[in-house]
Amino acid sequence: MAVADSFERRLCLSVDAESYGRRSDWAQGELQARLVALLDGAAVAAGLDRSGWVTQGSGDGELAFAPVGGSEPRIVDDFVRHLDAELSRLNRLRVDTERLRLRLAVHQGAVRPGPNGHVGKAVVTVSRLVNSTPLRRALAAFPGANLAMILSDDVFQSLVVGEHTTYQADAFREVAVVEKEYRASAWLRVPGADVHQLDLTGTGGTVASPDGGTTSGFTGNRAAPAGAITADGPTHRHEAKVMNVFHGTVDACHANFGVAGGLGG
């Protein structure tokens, strides 16, 4: 058998639970059991047979390889929707510290069994995606979400843009993923959130929401610092805004206000 013949094309899924390490030993065991049950339940609800998937558990997550054969849209669409719904039901009556929140990444490519797990560039890609900074920040920035997902550009273009799912392409946000040796664009979605308004720079805190409350992680109308590198690339100096906020009475007699250096620095 040629080396190339031992590889099979698979849809690769990787899920990882948030804040696993801070849980007690008993809580970690309970989370693992819940995670497997949720994944199995979401597959059944989506009309999928997980017995045909090859899975590798990692305690707080799972790496799964599903056969390619027409079920890809249902996995990326129905399975993910049912998983989010199951997480919502599970977390509804739980305190924040006990909620199960997941990151999910999807890619496709050639893989094969190895001495200590599956090997192939597709395995590396999906692993980099699930641990990527944009995906972690998206889940952290929207505390009301139970799930944040990221699709490789290949999966997004073929399934979402190709209209093989019920997703709208503009519900996803293109992000740059730079993890170790991996550098590529990917597509982010958080159910229930406008990902285009999420602050993925890691510098945002709690900001005012339209209803007068506070929402953690939303950019609102804040401008990024001139020349800063954000999740969407570098900002331009002419886009920066300056706003002065005064509290109480200010004696501005004979005072001058301005910005030194102008747009040119």
Side-chain angles (χ1 to χ4, degrees), residues 118-130:
H118 278 65
V119 300
K121 290 185 180 295
V123 182
V124 175
T125 294
V126 76
S127 299
R128 298 293 181 259
L129 290 175
V130 80

Side-chain angles (χ1 to χ4, degrees), residues 4 17 51 54 61 65 72 88 110 120 134 160 165 176 192 224 263:
S51 66
V54 177
F65 306 98
E72 298 95 322
S88 179
V160 178
T165 70
L263 296 179

Side-chain angles (χ1 to χ4, degrees), residues 25-108:
D25 295 354
W26 291 104
Q28 289 180 3
E30 190 260 353
L31 183 149
Q32 290 185 19
R34 290 282 186 183
L35 176 61
V36 174
L38 284 168
L39 295 172
D40 289 341
V44 170
L48 298 166
D49 182 8
R50 282 236 310 162
S51 66
W53 298 14
V54 177
T55 60
Q56 294 176 199
S58 60
D60 60 345
E62 181 184 274
L63 184 59
F65 306 98
V68 174
S71 63
E72 298 95 322
R74 275 195 295 158
I75 295 174
V76 172
D77 192 338
D78 297 345
F79 172 74
V80 173
R81 292 186 189 276
H82 284 294
L83 181 59
D84 182 54
E86 291 293 327
L87 285 167
S88 179
R89 280 189 284 270
L90 173 67
N91 292 331
R92 188 172 296 132
L93 300 179
R94 292 193 166 204
V95 297
D96 288 347
T97 55
E98 297 301 322
R99 291 170 61 211
L100 174 55
R101 306 175 73 222
L102 298 177
R103 303 188 311 277
L104 168 69
V106 186
H107 182 50
Q108 59 186 357

Side-chain angles (χ1 to χ4, degrees), residues 32-261:
Q32 290 185 19
R34 290 282 186 183
L35 176 61
V36 174
L38 284 168
L39 295 172
D40 289 341
V44 170
L48 298 166
D49 182 8
R50 282 236 310 162
S51 66
W53 298 14
V54 177
T55 60
Q56 294 176 199
S58 60
D60 60 345
E62 181 184 274
L63 184 59
F65 306 98
V68 174
S71 63
E72 298 95 322
R74 275 195 295 158
I75 295 174
V76 172
D77 192 338
D78 297 345
F79 172 74
V80 173
R81 292 186 189 276
H82 284 294
L83 181 59
D84 182 54
E86 291 293 327
L87 285 167
S88 179
R89 280 189 284 270
L90 173 67
N91 292 331
R92 188 172 296 132
L93 300 179
R94 292 193 166 204
V95 297
D96 288 347
T97 55
E98 297 301 322
R99 291 170 61 211
L100 174 55
R101 306 175 73 222
L102 298 177
R103 303 188 311 277
L104 168 69
V106 186
H107 182 50
Q108 59 186 357
V111 302
R112 71 172 176 85
N116 191 33
H118 278 65
V119 300
K121 290 185 180 295
V123 182
V124 175
T125 294
V126 76
S127 299
R128 298 293 181 259
L129 290 175
V130 80
N131 288 308
S132 66
T133 298
L135 187 61
R136 288 179 178 275
R137 286 179 176 169
L139 190 59
F142 192 61
N146 298 297
L147 173 73
M149 69 180 295
I150 192 167
L151 305 180
S152 69
D153 187 64
D154 185 17
V155 171
F156 177 77
Q157 297 296 338
S158 60
L159 297 182
V160 178
V161 177
E163 298 185 351
H164 296 288
T165 70
T166 60
Y167 295 129
Q168 297 296 317
D170 59 7
F172 290 78
R173 172 174 171 176
E174 186 176 18
V175 294
V177 175
V178 180
E179 297 292 329
K180 297 184 179 179
E181 77 294 332
Y182 182 78
R183 285 166 172 74
S185 291
W187 297 85
L188 184 70
R189 177 179 178 268
V190 179
D194 180 359
V195 289
H196 301 286
Q197 291 297 317
L198 290 176
D199 179 8
L200 302 182
T201 65
T203 59
T206 300
V207 299
S209 64
D211 61 2
T214 58
T215 303
S216 176
F218 282 90
T219 58
N221 294 320
R222 294 175 297 165
I229 303 297
T230 70
D232 295 318
T235 60
H236 300 287
R237 297 191 63 86
H238 68 272
E239 294 177 344
K241 296 180 175 64
V242 176
M243 179 176 67
N244 292 313
V245 178
F246 302 99
H247 300 282
T249 303
V250 177
D251 184 358
C253 182
H254 306 299
N256 293 314
F257 298 95
V259 178

